[in-house]
Amino acid sequence: MTRVYHAVRFKGGSAYVLFDGCNWNCSFCVWREVTRWSLCLPLETRRRLDYMWRTGRVRYLSVNEVVDLLKKARVTTAFLGGGEPTLDPELKALMRAFRREGIKPWLVTNGENLDDEMVELAEGATFSIKALDEELHRRITGASNGKVIENFRRYGRTGKLVAETVFVPGLVECEEIERIARFIASINPEMKLRIDPLVQGATIEKVDECIERVREILPKTDRIRVKESVEPPEVLYPEV
């Protein structure tokens, strides 16, 4: 059994597959502090899913169940996040099964547990660097970033990584993000960096100002830009 408990399908044919559990305790974690479901879902849908979770009506899916679910929905790319997907002992089996069925697996990860086989199986990986400064990283996550930095150095030149960080007012502001960008540029100056606004309240204006500064270091720096008119994804599991 995997630790997959939620999946949604977007209009373009991609899916987001969420895994339960994480090895860090980030102080601004959306998954823990805001919602364990896809943020793209309407609030009322997330509330119904919360009720189903509390009343024990959501279970983990097997590898075959996840694959069948996505095949039936004609998914072409599966983004594997959560939570932290690399904690799941069934992750590699799931990725191999996706590959056999022509579904491209893309990891969304903190990078601490990445290994050669995961990187080889993945179409790509969004690798989150919370902070470059060790003390700040421990304050944010409760964990060292030593293995994260080691793995980023190891896999940063494979062409498969996209870097990500979160702008957190009063904690991870542009000075720290510029340090992260310089580290990334020292490994691969062509890598993309995504700076996410804090869901709980970072202003887009400050994030956009930071993006302009960071582009002097890493030209391919941006953020997710979502149009308000975009329709929410289809919930594949659990059924609501």
Side-chain angles (χ1 to χ4, degrees), residues 149-193:
I149 299 303
E150 178 186 330
N151 280 342
F152 199 92
R153 290 186 188 278
R154 182 169 187 172
Y155 301 117
R157 293 186 178 89
T158 62
K160 288 194 171 185
L161 298 191
V162 172
E164 181 267 352
T165 194
V166 183
F167 186 106
V168 185
L171 195 60
V172 184
E173 295 198 331
C174 206
E175 291 75 12
E176 180 63 18
I177 294 174
E178 285 176 309
R179 284 190 281 272
I180 292 170
R182 282 191 286 272
F183 166 68
I184 295 168
S186 72
I187 297 165
N188 182 355
E190 296 300 313
M191 189 178 294
K192 293 179 181 179
L193 170 62

Side-chain angles (χ1 to χ4, degrees), residues 61-222:
L61 301 177
S62 70
V63 168
N64 288 340
E65 285 176 318
V66 179
V67 173
D68 288 347
L69 193 70
L70 270 57
K71 277 178 60 182
K72 185 177 179 181
R74 298 183 179 178
V75 168
T76 55
T77 301
F79 292 89
L80 311 179
E84 177 50 50
T86 61
L87 295 180
D88 193 329
E90 294 295 314
L91 175 64
K92 294 176 186 178
L94 181 61
M95 293 173 77
R96 287 192 291 268
F98 280 157
R99 283 293 185 187
R100 286 194 296 271
E101 297 297 335
I103 300 171
K104 300 173 183 176
W106 186 288
L107 287 172
V108 182
T109 176
N110 62 32
E112 186 173 47
N113 297 311
L114 272 185
D115 63 28
D116 293 352
E117 187 176 5
M118 289 178 193
V119 174
E120 183 179 351
L121 287 167
E123 186 72 14
T126 301
F127 190 123
S128 185
I129 302 178
K130 307 302 183 188
L132 196 64
D133 180 81
E134 167 78 9
E135 182 180 345
L136 178 58
H137 193 276
R138 284 188 181 276
R139 185 147 48 101
I140 291 168
T141 68
S144 167
N145 64 357
K147 188 64 177 177
V148 172
I149 299 303
E150 178 186 330
N151 280 342
F152 199 92
R153 290 186 188 278
R154 182 169 187 172
Y155 301 117
R157 293 186 178 89
T158 62
K160 288 194 171 185
L161 298 191
V162 172
E164 181 267 352
T165 194
V166 183
F167 186 106
V168 185
L171 195 60
V172 184
E173 295 198 331
C174 206
E175 291 75 12
E176 180 63 18
I177 294 174
E178 285 176 309
R179 284 190 281 272
I180 292 170
R182 282 191 286 272
F183 166 68
I184 295 168
S186 72
I187 297 165
N188 182 355
E190 296 300 313
M191 189 178 294
K192 293 179 181 179
L193 170 62
R194 192 181 84 209
I195 303 175
D196 289 339
L198 183 70
V199 171
Q200 299 93 314
T203 61
I204 294 296
E205 292 79 8
K206 284 188 176 182
V207 174
D208 285 344
E209 289 172 8
C210 185
I211 287 170
E212 291 305 314
R213 286 168 56 180
V214 174
R215 280 177 177 164
E216 296 294 320
I217 305 166
L218 276 178
K220 295 180 181 178
T221 298
D222 211 334

